[in-house]
Protein backbone atom coordinates (compact mmCIF):
# COMPACT_ATOMS: atom_id res chain seq x y z
CA UNK A 1 0.00 0.00 0.00
CA UNK A 2 1.39 3.41 -0.93
CA UNK A 3 1.16 6.38 1.40
CA UNK A 4 0.46 9.93 0.24
CA UNK A 5 0.49 13.26 2.05
CA UNK A 6 -1.71 16.06 0.69
CA UNK A 7 -1.37 19.67 1.84
CA UNK A 8 -4.67 21.50 1.38
CA UNK A 9 -6.64 18.26 1.70
CA UNK A 10 -9.74 20.21 2.81
CA UNK A 11 -9.70 22.36 -0.34
CA UNK A 12 -11.47 21.58 -3.61
CA UNK A 13 -8.60 19.68 -5.26
CA UNK A 14 -7.42 18.14 -2.00
CA UNK A 15 -10.80 16.51 -1.46
CA UNK A 16 -11.04 15.13 -5.02
CA UNK A 17 -7.44 13.88 -4.86
CA UNK A 18 -8.02 12.26 -1.45
CA UNK A 19 -11.02 10.42 -2.90
CA UNK A 20 -9.03 9.28 -5.94
CA UNK A 21 -6.16 7.98 -3.81
CA UNK A 22 -8.41 6.27 -1.25
CA UNK A 23 -10.18 4.53 -4.14
CA UNK A 24 -6.78 3.39 -5.45
CA UNK A 25 -5.95 1.83 -2.08
CA UNK A 26 -3.54 4.48 -0.77
CA UNK A 27 -3.13 5.33 2.88
CA UNK A 28 -3.94 9.04 2.70
CA UNK A 29 -2.68 11.68 5.12
CA UNK A 30 -3.46 15.35 4.84
CA UNK A 31 -2.56 18.68 6.36
CA UNK A 32 -5.21 20.97 7.83
CA UNK A 33 -4.83 24.42 9.29
CA UNK A 34 -5.93 24.97 12.85
CA UNK A 35 -9.19 26.86 12.48
CA UNK A 36 -12.19 27.44 14.71
CA UNK A 37 -14.48 25.17 12.65
CA UNK A 38 -12.80 21.78 12.34
CA UNK A 39 -15.37 20.15 10.02
CA UNK A 40 -14.28 19.14 6.51
CA UNK A 41 -17.44 19.50 4.39
CA UNK A 42 -15.72 18.64 1.10
CA UNK A 43 -14.21 15.41 2.44
CA UNK A 44 -17.63 14.58 3.88
CA UNK A 45 -19.39 15.34 0.58
CA UNK A 46 -17.10 12.87 -1.20
CA UNK A 47 -17.49 10.24 1.52
CA UNK A 48 -13.82 10.11 2.59
CA UNK A 49 -13.77 12.16 5.81
CA UNK A 50 -13.32 9.04 7.94
CA UNK A 51 -10.91 7.37 5.50
CA UNK A 52 -8.06 9.86 5.69
CA UNK A 53 -5.65 10.82 8.49
CA UNK A 54 -5.60 14.55 9.23
CA UNK A 55 -2.63 16.37 10.78
CA UNK A 56 -2.25 19.98 11.85
CA UNK A 57 -0.18 21.65 9.18
CA UNK A 58 0.53 25.25 8.29
CA UNK A 59 2.46 26.27 5.21
CA UNK A 60 3.98 29.24 6.96
CA UNK A 61 5.64 27.27 9.82
CA UNK A 62 9.06 25.86 8.97
CA UNK A 63 9.26 23.51 11.95
CA UNK A 64 5.74 22.29 11.35
CA UNK A 65 6.73 21.36 7.80
CA UNK A 66 9.90 19.68 9.12
CA UNK A 67 8.08 17.57 11.75
CA UNK A 68 5.35 16.56 9.31
CA UNK A 69 7.83 15.28 6.75
CA UNK A 70 9.97 13.63 9.43
CA UNK A 71 7.11 11.84 11.19
CA UNK A 72 4.82 10.62 8.40
CA UNK A 73 6.22 8.00 6.05
CA UNK A 74 5.19 9.12 2.55
CA UNK A 75 5.78 7.84 -0.96
CA UNK A 76 4.10 10.85 -2.56
CA UNK A 77 3.71 14.45 -1.41
CA UNK A 78 1.11 16.64 -3.14
CA UNK A 79 1.48 20.34 -2.34
CA UNK A 80 -2.01 21.70 -3.00
CA UNK A 81 -2.32 24.15 -0.10
CA UNK A 82 -2.12 27.82 -0.98
CA UNK A 83 -3.68 31.23 -0.61
CA UNK A 84 -5.47 30.39 -3.85
CA UNK A 85 -7.68 33.42 -4.45
CA UNK A 86 -6.01 35.75 -6.96
CA UNK A 87 -8.29 38.65 -6.03
CA UNK A 88 -7.13 38.61 -2.39
CA UNK A 89 -3.45 38.50 -3.27
CA UNK A 90 -3.17 42.26 -3.86
CA UNK A 91 -4.27 42.87 -0.26
CA UNK A 92 -2.14 39.96 1.07
CA UNK A 93 1.04 40.08 -1.03
CA UNK A 94 3.41 39.20 1.84
CA UNK A 95 1.31 36.34 3.18
CA UNK A 96 0.67 35.07 -0.36
CA UNK A 97 4.40 35.12 -1.10
CA UNK A 98 5.08 33.15 2.09
CA UNK A 99 2.34 30.56 1.58
CA UNK A 100 2.53 30.13 -2.20
CA UNK A 101 6.24 30.79 -2.78
CA UNK A 102 8.54 30.42 0.22
CA UNK A 103 6.63 27.46 1.66
CA UNK A 104 7.42 25.49 -1.50
CA UNK A 105 11.12 26.18 -0.97
CA UNK A 106 10.86 25.01 2.64
CA UNK A 107 9.01 21.82 1.68
CA UNK A 108 11.46 20.98 -1.09
CA UNK A 109 14.49 21.62 1.10
CA UNK A 110 13.05 19.46 3.88
CA UNK A 111 12.21 16.66 1.46
CA UNK A 112 15.72 16.84 0.05
CA UNK A 113 17.13 16.48 3.56
CA UNK A 114 14.78 13.89 5.09
CA UNK A 115 12.99 12.02 2.30
CA UNK A 116 14.72 12.49 -1.06
CA UNK A 117 12.97 9.40 -2.42
CA UNK A 118 9.47 10.87 -1.92
CA UNK A 119 7.79 11.97 -5.14
CA UNK A 120 6.63 15.59 -5.09
CA UNK A 121 3.81 17.38 -6.92
CA UNK A 122 3.62 21.19 -7.00
CA UNK A 123 0.32 22.94 -7.79
CA UNK A 124 1.48 25.44 -10.38
CA UNK A 125 -0.99 27.49 -12.34
CA UNK A 126 -1.93 29.10 -15.63
CA UNK A 127 -2.05 32.38 -13.69
CA UNK A 128 1.76 32.37 -14.16
CA UNK A 129 1.16 33.09 -17.88
CA UNK A 130 -0.72 36.30 -16.95
CA UNK A 131 -0.15 38.71 -19.82
CA UNK A 132 0.10 35.85 -22.24
CA UNK A 133 3.18 35.74 -24.47
CA UNK A 134 1.86 32.93 -26.68
CA UNK A 135 -1.53 31.45 -27.62
CA UNK A 136 -2.26 28.74 -26.63
CA UNK A 137 -0.01 28.47 -23.57
CA UNK A 138 2.18 25.41 -23.11
CA UNK A 139 4.98 24.22 -20.81
CA UNK A 140 7.61 26.32 -22.61
CA UNK A 141 5.60 29.57 -22.86
CA UNK A 142 7.35 32.53 -21.22
CA UNK A 143 5.83 33.42 -17.85
CA UNK A 144 4.46 36.95 -17.20
CA UNK A 145 2.46 36.88 -13.95
CA UNK A 146 -0.04 39.69 -13.34
CA UNK A 147 -0.84 39.26 -9.63
CA UNK A 148 1.10 38.73 -6.39
CA UNK A 149 -0.42 35.23 -6.45
CA UNK A 150 1.02 34.57 -9.90
CA UNK A 151 4.43 35.92 -8.90
CA UNK A 152 4.55 33.73 -5.77
CA UNK A 153 3.55 30.66 -7.79
CA UNK A 154 6.39 31.35 -10.26
CA UNK A 155 8.85 31.00 -7.36
CA UNK A 156 7.37 27.64 -6.36
CA UNK A 157 7.34 26.49 -9.98
CA UNK A 158 10.97 27.35 -10.71
CA UNK A 159 12.13 26.00 -7.36
CA UNK A 160 10.44 22.68 -8.12
CA UNK A 161 12.29 22.49 -11.45
CA UNK A 162 15.52 23.56 -9.78
CA UNK A 163 15.41 20.92 -7.04
CA UNK A 164 14.70 18.30 -9.67
CA UNK A 165 17.66 19.41 -11.77
CA UNK A 166 20.02 20.10 -8.83
CA UNK A 167 19.36 17.14 -6.54
CA UNK A 168 17.53 14.62 -8.71
CA UNK A 169 14.28 14.86 -6.71
CA UNK A 170 11.25 13.32 -8.41
CA UNK A 171 9.54 16.73 -8.38
CA UNK A 172 6.85 17.57 -10.94
CA UNK A 173 4.94 20.73 -11.52
CA UNK A 174 1.40 20.68 -12.89
CA UNK A 175 0.54 23.91 -14.69
CA UNK A 176 -3.19 23.64 -14.25
CA UNK A 177 -5.70 25.86 -15.99
CA UNK A 178 -8.88 26.78 -14.11
CA UNK A 179 -10.81 23.79 -12.85
CA UNK A 180 -14.06 23.92 -10.98
CA UNK A 181 -16.72 21.71 -9.42
CA UNK A 182 -19.73 21.85 -7.11
CA UNK A 183 -17.11 21.95 -4.30
CA UNK A 184 -15.44 25.11 -5.65
CA UNK A 185 -14.88 27.97 -3.17
CA UNK A 186 -17.72 30.48 -3.21
CA UNK A 187 -15.52 33.49 -4.05
CA UNK A 188 -14.41 32.13 -7.46
CA UNK A 189 -16.45 33.44 -10.37
CA UNK A 190 -17.98 30.15 -11.57
CA UNK A 191 -19.34 29.18 -8.15
CA UNK A 192 -20.42 32.73 -7.42
CA UNK A 193 -22.45 32.60 -10.64
CA UNK A 194 -24.04 29.19 -10.04
CA UNK A 195 -24.87 29.97 -6.40
CA UNK A 196 -26.36 33.34 -7.34
CA UNK A 197 -28.40 31.96 -10.24
CA UNK A 198 -29.65 29.01 -8.18
CA UNK A 199 -30.93 31.46 -5.55
CA UNK A 200 -32.64 33.54 -8.26
CA UNK A 201 -34.24 30.44 -9.77
CA UNK A 202 -35.55 29.53 -6.29
CA UNK A 203 -37.34 32.89 -5.90
CA UNK A 204 -34.46 35.17 -4.97
CA UNK A 205 -34.40 38.70 -6.34
CA UNK A 206 -30.78 39.84 -6.01
CA UNK A 207 -28.87 40.01 -9.29
CA UNK A 208 -25.43 38.41 -9.28
CA UNK A 209 -22.86 41.24 -9.03
CA UNK A 210 -19.75 40.62 -11.08
CA UNK A 211 -16.66 42.43 -12.36
CA UNK A 212 -14.96 41.94 -15.71
CA UNK A 213 -17.31 39.95 -17.97
CA UNK A 214 -14.91 39.81 -20.93
CA UNK A 215 -12.09 37.80 -19.33
CA UNK A 216 -11.63 34.36 -20.90
CA UNK A 217 -10.70 31.21 -19.05
CA UNK A 218 -9.99 27.60 -20.00
CA UNK A 219 -12.32 25.81 -17.57
CA UNK A 220 -12.38 22.09 -16.77
CA UNK A 221 -13.69 19.80 -14.05
CA UNK A 222 -11.54 19.35 -10.91
CA UNK A 223 -12.27 15.60 -10.75
CA UNK A 224 -10.48 15.15 -14.09
CA UNK A 225 -7.49 17.30 -13.10
CA UNK A 226 -6.56 15.39 -9.91
CA UNK A 227 -6.23 12.26 -12.06
CA UNK A 228 -3.60 14.15 -14.07
CA UNK A 229 -1.69 15.07 -10.88
CA UNK A 230 -1.54 11.42 -9.86
CA UNK A 231 -0.41 10.32 -13.33
CA UNK A 232 2.50 12.80 -13.19
CA UNK A 233 3.86 11.08 -10.08
CA UNK A 234 3.58 7.61 -11.66
CA UNK A 235 6.04 8.47 -14.46
CA UNK A 236 9.62 7.16 -14.31
CA UNK A 237 10.92 10.71 -14.84
CA UNK A 238 9.52 13.81 -13.17
CA UNK A 239 8.50 16.62 -15.52
CA UNK A 240 6.16 19.61 -15.92
CA UNK A 241 2.80 19.36 -17.63
CA UNK A 242 -0.03 21.67 -18.67
CA UNK A 243 -3.51 20.35 -17.82
CA UNK A 244 -6.23 22.20 -19.73
CA UNK A 245 -9.19 21.64 -22.05
CA UNK A 246 -7.85 23.68 -24.97
CA UNK A 247 -11.11 25.70 -25.11
CA UNK A 248 -11.56 29.24 -23.80
CA UNK A 249 -14.83 30.90 -22.76
CA UNK A 250 -15.84 34.34 -21.49
CA UNK A 251 -17.36 34.88 -18.05
CA UNK A 252 -20.51 36.01 -19.91
CA UNK A 253 -20.80 32.70 -21.78
CA UNK A 254 -20.25 30.66 -18.63
CA UNK A 255 -23.03 32.71 -17.01
CA UNK A 256 -25.31 31.99 -19.99
CA UNK A 257 -24.65 28.22 -19.87
CA UNK A 258 -25.48 28.10 -16.15
CA UNK A 259 -28.62 30.23 -16.63
CA UNK A 260 -29.85 27.99 -19.46
CA UNK A 261 -29.52 24.96 -17.18
CA UNK A 262 -31.88 26.70 -14.74
CA UNK A 263 -34.43 27.44 -17.47
CA UNK A 264 -33.60 31.11 -17.98
CA UNK A 265 -33.56 32.93 -21.31
CA UNK A 266 -31.19 35.89 -21.03
CA UNK A 267 -31.40 39.30 -22.61
CA UNK A 268 -27.97 40.98 -22.48
CA UNK A 269 -27.86 44.79 -22.65
CA UNK A 270 -25.18 47.45 -22.27
CA UNK A 271 -21.42 47.10 -22.01
CA UNK A 272 -18.69 47.37 -19.39
CA UNK A 273 -20.06 49.00 -16.22
CA UNK A 274 -23.59 49.32 -17.62
CA UNK A 275 -23.87 45.69 -18.76
CA UNK A 276 -26.91 43.78 -17.46
CA UNK A 277 -28.67 40.47 -18.05
CA UNK A 278 -32.41 40.00 -17.59
CA UNK A 279 -34.42 36.77 -17.70
CA UNK A 280 -37.00 37.25 -20.44
CA UNK A 281 -39.28 34.67 -18.80
CA UNK A 282 -39.61 36.39 -15.43
CA UNK A 283 -38.44 39.92 -16.18
CA UNK A 284 -35.94 39.65 -13.30
CA UNK A 285 -32.56 41.30 -13.62
CA UNK A 286 -30.08 38.49 -12.97
CA UNK A 287 -26.68 40.18 -13.46
CA UNK A 288 -25.24 43.61 -12.83
CA UNK A 289 -21.67 44.81 -13.00
CA UNK A 290 -20.07 46.14 -9.85
CA UNK A 291 -16.65 47.71 -10.49
CA UNK A 292 -15.52 46.75 -7.00
CA UNK A 293 -14.86 43.28 -8.46
CA UNK A 294 -12.44 44.63 -11.08
CA UNK A 295 -8.80 43.70 -10.44
CA UNK A 296 -5.81 46.05 -10.38
CA UNK A 297 -4.29 44.02 -13.24
CA UNK A 298 -6.29 41.49 -15.24
CA UNK A 299 -5.48 38.23 -17.00
CA UNK A 300 -7.59 38.65 -20.11
CA UNK A 301 -7.11 35.35 -21.90
CA UNK A 302 -6.07 31.85 -20.88
CA UNK A 303 -6.15 28.88 -23.19
CA UNK A 304 -3.96 25.87 -22.63
CA UNK A 305 -2.34 23.34 -24.93
CA UNK A 306 -2.64 19.98 -23.12
CA UNK A 307 -0.98 17.92 -25.87
CA UNK A 308 2.08 16.94 -23.78
CA UNK A 309 -0.16 15.57 -21.00
CA UNK A 310 -2.26 13.76 -23.60
CA UNK A 311 0.76 12.20 -25.33
CA UNK A 312 2.87 11.33 -22.27
CA UNK A 313 0.31 10.80 -19.51
CA UNK A 314 -2.64 9.63 -21.60
CA UNK A 315 -4.64 12.37 -19.83
CA UNK A 316 -7.47 14.48 -21.19
CA UNK A 317 -10.29 16.57 -19.78
CA UNK A 318 -13.59 14.72 -20.04
CA UNK A 319 -16.06 17.45 -19.02
CA UNK A 320 -16.53 20.45 -21.32
CA UNK A 321 -17.34 23.94 -20.10
CA UNK A 322 -21.06 23.72 -20.83
CA UNK A 323 -21.28 20.38 -18.98
CA UNK A 324 -19.34 21.91 -16.10
CA UNK A 325 -21.67 24.93 -15.84
CA UNK A 326 -24.68 22.62 -15.95
CA UNK A 327 -23.22 20.32 -13.26
CA UNK A 328 -22.49 23.23 -10.91
CA UNK A 329 -25.81 25.06 -11.48
CA UNK A 330 -27.80 21.89 -10.91
CA UNK A 331 -25.89 21.02 -7.71
CA UNK A 332 -26.46 24.50 -6.26
CA UNK A 333 -30.13 24.50 -7.29
CA UNK A 334 -30.73 21.04 -5.81
CA UNK A 335 -28.98 22.02 -2.56
CA UNK A 336 -31.59 24.78 -2.06
CA UNK A 337 -34.54 22.35 -2.30
P1 LIG B 1 -8.68 25.79 -2.42
O1 LIG B 1 -9.99 25.11 -2.54
O2 LIG B 1 -8.64 27.23 -2.04
O3 LIG B 1 -7.81 24.94 -1.37
C1 LIG B 1 -6.63 25.47 -0.83
C2 LIG B 1 -6.31 24.71 0.45
O4 LIG B 1 -5.12 25.29 1.03
C3 LIG B 1 -7.38 24.77 1.52
O5 LIG B 1 -7.54 23.48 2.05
C4 LIG B 1 -6.79 25.68 2.56
O6 LIG B 1 -7.20 25.40 3.88
C5 LIG B 1 -5.32 25.38 2.42
N1 LIG B 1 -4.47 26.43 2.97
C6 LIG B 1 -4.52 27.76 2.70
N2 LIG B 1 -3.57 28.41 3.41
C7 LIG B 1 -2.91 27.47 4.15
C8 LIG B 1 -1.86 27.51 5.09
N3 LIG B 1 -1.26 28.66 5.43
N4 LIG B 1 -1.43 26.35 5.64
C9 LIG B 1 -2.01 25.17 5.32
N5 LIG B 1 -3.06 25.07 4.44
C10 LIG B 1 -3.49 26.21 3.87
O7 LIG B 1 -7.85 25.65 -3.78
P2 LIG B 1 -7.97 24.56 -4.93
O8 LIG B 1 -8.83 25.11 -6.02
O9 LIG B 1 -8.25 23.24 -4.36
O10 LIG B 1 -6.48 24.59 -5.52
C11 LIG B 1 -5.49 23.69 -5.05
C12 LIG B 1 -4.12 24.21 -5.45
O11 LIG B 1 -4.03 24.30 -6.86
C13 LIG B 1 -3.78 25.60 -4.93
O12 LIG B 1 -2.39 25.62 -4.66
C14 LIG B 1 -4.09 26.52 -6.10
O13 LIG B 1 -3.32 27.70 -6.01
C15 LIG B 1 -3.71 25.63 -7.26
N6 LIG B 1 -4.41 25.83 -8.53
C16 LIG B 1 -5.77 25.81 -8.55
C17 LIG B 1 -6.43 25.94 -9.76
C18 LIG B 1 -7.92 25.92 -9.86
O14 LIG B 1 -8.46 26.35 -10.88
N7 LIG B 1 -8.63 25.37 -8.87
C19 LIG B 1 -5.67 26.10 -10.95
C20 LIG B 1 -4.28 26.09 -10.87
C21 LIG B 1 -3.66 25.94 -9.65
P3 LIG B 1 -8.67 25.79 4.43
O15 LIG B 1 -9.52 24.63 4.02
O16 LIG B 1 -8.42 25.87 5.90
O17 LIG B 1 -9.02 27.08 3.82
N1 LIG C 1 -13.71 35.90 -8.39
C1 LIG C 1 -14.37 36.71 -9.22
N2 LIG C 1 -15.49 37.38 -8.77
N3 LIG C 1 -13.91 36.85 -10.48
C2 LIG C 1 -14.61 37.65 -11.31
C3 LIG C 1 -15.77 38.32 -10.92
C4 LIG C 1 -16.23 38.20 -9.58
O1 LIG C 1 -17.22 38.77 -9.16
N4 LIG C 1 -16.25 39.02 -11.98
C5 LIG C 1 -15.42 38.76 -13.00
N5 LIG C 1 -14.42 37.95 -12.60
C6 LIG C 1 -13.29 37.50 -13.42
C7 LIG C 1 -11.92 37.79 -12.81
O2 LIG C 1 -11.56 39.16 -13.02
C8 LIG C 1 -11.07 36.80 -13.59
O3 LIG C 1 -10.70 37.36 -14.84
C9 LIG C 1 -12.02 35.63 -13.86
O4 LIG C 1 -13.33 36.10 -13.55
C10 LIG C 1 -11.74 34.38 -13.05
O5 LIG C 1 -11.65 34.72 -11.69
P1 LIG C 1 -11.60 33.59 -10.55
O6 LIG C 1 -12.75 32.68 -10.70
O7 LIG C 1 -11.42 34.28 -9.25
O8 LIG C 1 -10.33 32.71 -10.95
P2 LIG C 1 -8.84 33.12 -11.37
O9 LIG C 1 -8.68 32.76 -12.82
O10 LIG C 1 -8.48 34.47 -10.96
O11 LIG C 1 -7.98 32.11 -10.47
C11 LIG C 1 -8.30 30.73 -10.40
O12 LIG C 1 -7.65 30.04 -11.44
C12 LIG C 1 -6.21 30.07 -11.39
C13 LIG C 1 -5.71 29.29 -12.60
O13 LIG C 1 -5.72 30.12 -13.73
C14 LIG C 1 -7.86 30.22 -9.02
O14 LIG C 1 -8.33 28.90 -8.85
C15 LIG C 1 -6.36 30.21 -8.88
O15 LIG C 1 -5.99 29.56 -7.65
C16 LIG C 1 -5.78 29.44 -10.07
O16 LIG C 1 -4.38 29.41 -9.99
Amino acid sequence: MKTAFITGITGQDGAYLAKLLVDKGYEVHGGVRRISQPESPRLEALGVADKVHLHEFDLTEQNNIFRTIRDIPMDEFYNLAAQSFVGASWELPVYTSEADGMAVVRILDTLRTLRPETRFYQASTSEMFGLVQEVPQKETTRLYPRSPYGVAKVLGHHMTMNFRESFGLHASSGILFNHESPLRGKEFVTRKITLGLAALARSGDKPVELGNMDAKRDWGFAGDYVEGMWRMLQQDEADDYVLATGVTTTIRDFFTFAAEELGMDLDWQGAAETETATDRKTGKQVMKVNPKFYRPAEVDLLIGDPSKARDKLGWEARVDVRGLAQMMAKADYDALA
Side-chain angles (χ1 to χ4, degrees):
M1 181 193 276
K2 280 193 192 169
T3 301
F5 185 81
I6 305 171
T7 73
I9 193 169
T10 50
Q12 170 190 259
D13 291 5
Y16 279 104
L17 181 63
K19 163 103 175 97
L20 179 92
L21 297 181
V22 164
D23 288 349
K24 287 186 182 296
Y26 278 61
E27 179 178 307
V28 176
H29 295 256
V32 289
R33 288 192 282 183
R34 201 213 66 77
I35 46 170
S36 55
Q37 288 183 318
E39 297 81 19
S40 306
R42 293 183 175 111
L43 294 171
E44 280 160 24
L46 296 179
V48 290
D50 56 355
K51 298 189 174 119
V52 298
H53 307 271
L54 301 182
H55 307 266
E56 280 198 7
F57 177 86
D58 200 301
L59 282 171
T60 55
E61 281 290 330
Q62 166 65 42
N63 286 335
N64 188 197
I65 291 171
F66 178 88
R67 285 191 293 272
T68 301
I69 292 175
R70 182 193 63 189
D71 294 345
I72 303 171
M74 50 181 87
D75 300 297
E76 297 172 8
F77 187 114
Y78 295 87
N79 184 36
L80 306 189
Q83 191 301 93
S84 70
F85 187 42
V86 173
S89 73
W90 281 276
E91 291 304 315
L92 303 170
V94 176
Y95 173 71
T96 304
S97 300
E98 277 291 327
D100 299 8
M102 284 305 296
V104 187
V105 186
R106 295 187 179 112
I107 291 168
L108 283 164
D109 205 26
T110 309
L111 282 172
R112 173 198 165 200
T113 306
L114 298 180
R115 294 191 185 277
E117 72 292 347
T118 295
R119 295 186 173 197
F120 175 77
Y121 173 85
Q122 169 58 14
S124 289
T125 165
S126 49
E127 183 72 14
M128 300 188 303
F129 296 124
L131 188 63
V132 299
Q133 303 292 296
E134 187 177 20
V135 179
Q137 296 86 51
K138 51 183 187 276
E139 293 79 3
T140 50
T141 300
R142 190 157 76 82
L143 306 179
Y144 194 138
R146 292 273 278 173
S147 59
Y149 168 84
V151 174
K153 283 283 186 176
V154 170
L155 172 59
H157 180 64
H158 280 302
M159 201 59 78
T160 300
M161 296 165 78
N162 182 265
F163 269 59
R164 179 172 73 224
E165 291 170 7
S166 305
F167 304 115
L169 292 192
H170 194 293
S172 295
S173 190
I175 307 172
L176 271 53
F177 283 63
N178 298 50
H179 47 279
E180 323 286 312
S181 73
L183 302 182
R184 184 58 145 152
K186 294 175 185 175
E187 70 271 52
F188 298 96
V189 75
T190 53
R191 187 77 197 288
K192 188 173 166 186
I193 289 170
T194 58
L195 277 168
L197 286 174
L200 279 158
R202 287 276 186 200
S203 81
D205 55 9
K206 284 201 188 117
V208 188
E209 293 192 15
L210 297 173
N212 178 7
M213 298 298 287
D214 294 314
K216 292 180 162 178
R217 289 292 182 276
D218 179 329
W219 278 299
F221 170 53
D224 290 344
Y225 286 54
V226 298
E227 167 84 26
M229 297 174 189
W230 174 77
R231 287 189 186 206
M232 287 177 213
L233 296 208
Q234 310 317 306
Q235 303 306 301
D236 290 340
E237 302 287 335
D239 205 343
D240 307 317
Y241 297 90
V242 160
L243 299 186
T245 68
V247 174
T248 195
T249 306
T250 60
I251 312 298
R252 185 179 303 102
D253 284 347
F254 185 95
F255 192 102
T256 302
F257 296 151
E260 282 170 1
E261 171 66 14
L262 299 176
M264 298 178 191
D265 175 18
L266 300 190
D267 177 27
W268 290 92
Q269 297 288 337
E273 290 178 20
T274 64
E275 183 165 6
T276 61
T278 304
D279 179 11
R280 290 191 182 89
K281 293 184 180 163
T282 60
K284 274 189 208 171
Q285 184 178 344
V286 295
M287 196 287 300
K288 69 181 276 199
V289 169
N290 184 337
K292 91 173 179 192
F293 297 111
Y294 289 163
R295 292 178 175 177
E298 182 58 281
V299 173
D300 294 318
L301 166 69
L302 290 175
I303 176 167
D305 173 359
S307 51
K308 180 176 171 185
R310 187 191 58 224
D311 296 345
K312 297 206 166 166
L313 304 178
W315 178 89
E316 62 184 0
R318 286 170 293 197
V319 179
D320 68 8
V321 63
R322 190 186 287 266
L324 177 68
Q326 289 168 344
M327 177 202 305
M328 294 175 67
K330 181 171 183 334
D332 283 329
Y333 183 78
D334 290 349
L336 293 177

